[in-house]
Amino acid sequence: MANLEAYRHISPDSGFPTTIHPHFNPKIRDHVPSDPARVEVDPGRDRAAFADPEKKSLRAVAGLVDLTESIGTVLEGVQLSQLNEQQLDELALLVSERSVVFFRDQDLSTDQQVKLFEHYGRSDLILYANIGSLSNSRFGKITGELDKHPAQKGQRHVTIRGSTGDARQDSNYTPWPIAEFHADTSFEINPPSYSMLRMEEHPAVGGDTAWVSSYGLYDALSEAFKTFVDGLHAVHTSRLQYDTIVDLWGTGPNRPPIDTHHPAVRTHPVTGLKALNVNPGFVTGFAELKKAESDKLLDFFNYHIHSADDHYVRWKWAVGSVAMWDNRTAVHRAIPGTYSGERRGVRTTVFGEKPFLDPNSEGRTHRAERLAKGDRAGNAIHANGPLVNGHTTNGEKGEHGADFENSGEAN
């Protein structure tokens, strides 16, 4: 973070850096984005909706080990490079249920990873909209590009590195909370669905990543608070990231900054479950509230996320480790540290549907309670129960045409 403009302007009184207004920071003021803004697109049906709810094909080649009750599963004894299309669909369903799935000792190359992830975002799923191609439709043309880092050019993946700077100190001089929990580029009109990170270099200690279940964050709220938040739109913005990236790296972003108003609670298109759609990295307020009200609510959600140990998983990386997560059902952050050695990974990301809240959807806890009552009434429910370690029960349908069909098996 030493490249921030503020570090070049030291106060003679305190000896500390002084913040420069973006209009007077030449790096920010003079940057002209190369690409047009994105517009809404129709991503087509999520690949998880095509999966066998019981995941028989995936279970035939891999062992499933849940790391916590709420979030995180390790797949053992399998290479991602060997999975067929049916197994990849079942993997997407598992990720939709468990929010993040981990692998160790994978043999994927970068080209193989990009090709694998195209399964989740081929011509009908990968969402780079070209404004110049619009006709009378509100949907943009889909050109088949994977998500790109705003400061990395000419590649179809994102190179992820570690940070050993003092994020708490650097936050004085940059508006974007760069080390906070976030869902990848949640400010997009069509925010990302699935992301995959594969580690190529990593220190022996440090550089972990943590995820928190957005299903669990919603479930942990009181009923009165759920009703309140169900009625709000969260303001997701790229403005703060835009200024920070230009200031820090002197290049990018590719597109102008945007604000989007997404439901503060969203419905997953496949599981049909409600998830909290608020993250400290990109959410700056709530459209329906006044600023003081928004600020207090943001303070609460920041506390709520950081204190959610019962919906939290932390992954210790090694070279060859892979994580695949669903940005619609989890927030994550790289844990800051002072470790030595290189940390470098390759991330691929595809975009999903525009967030929506189905008023008929429900949280995980509500579904478990409802189906448990049905079980006592004699309905046919899996013997292991309606909800075991975050794996939801078959038979639920959603209004958007997706099958809310998930396995009820314990692992």
Side-chain angles (χ1 to χ4, degrees), residues 235-288:
V235 179
H236 297 247
T237 184
S238 66
R239 288 180 286 111
L240 307 183
Q241 185 196 52
Y242 179 97
D243 289 352
T244 300
I245 285 177
V246 178
D247 189 9
L248 183 59
W249 291 308
T251 183
N254 302 308
R255 293 173 286 111
I258 60 169
D259 280 18
T260 52
H261 294 185
H262 291 314
V265 177
R266 67 184 297 175
T267 303
H268 194 281
V270 179
T271 67
L273 294 172
K274 288 182 176 180
L276 186 68
N277 190 29
V278 176
N279 69 81
F282 295 116
V283 173
T284 57
F286 299 89
E288 292 83 359

Side-chain angles (χ1 to χ4, degrees), residues 332-406:
H332 66 279
R333 70 189 289 246
I335 305 299
T338 57
Y339 51 86
S340 59
E342 287 294 318
R343 182 185 190 269
R344 178 173 56 86
V346 172
R347 195 195 77 196
T348 44
T349 298
V350 293
F351 295 93
E353 72 287 347
K354 183 178 180 180
F356 67 94
L357 175 61
D358 179 350
N360 297 315
S361 58
E362 58 193 345
R364 273 194 316 199
T365 301
H366 282 177
R367 178 174 292 177
E369 292 171 350
R370 176 175 60 81
L371 294 176
K373 291 178 182 177
D375 190 24
R376 288 194 294 270
N379 292 347
I381 293 178
H382 195 283
N384 285 328
L387 190 71
V388 179
N389 292 354
H391 299 267
T392 49
T393 306
N394 333 2
E396 300 297 317
K397 297 285 183 179
E399 66 169 346
H400 287 253
D403 294 332
F404 297 164
E405 295 177 346
N406 303 302

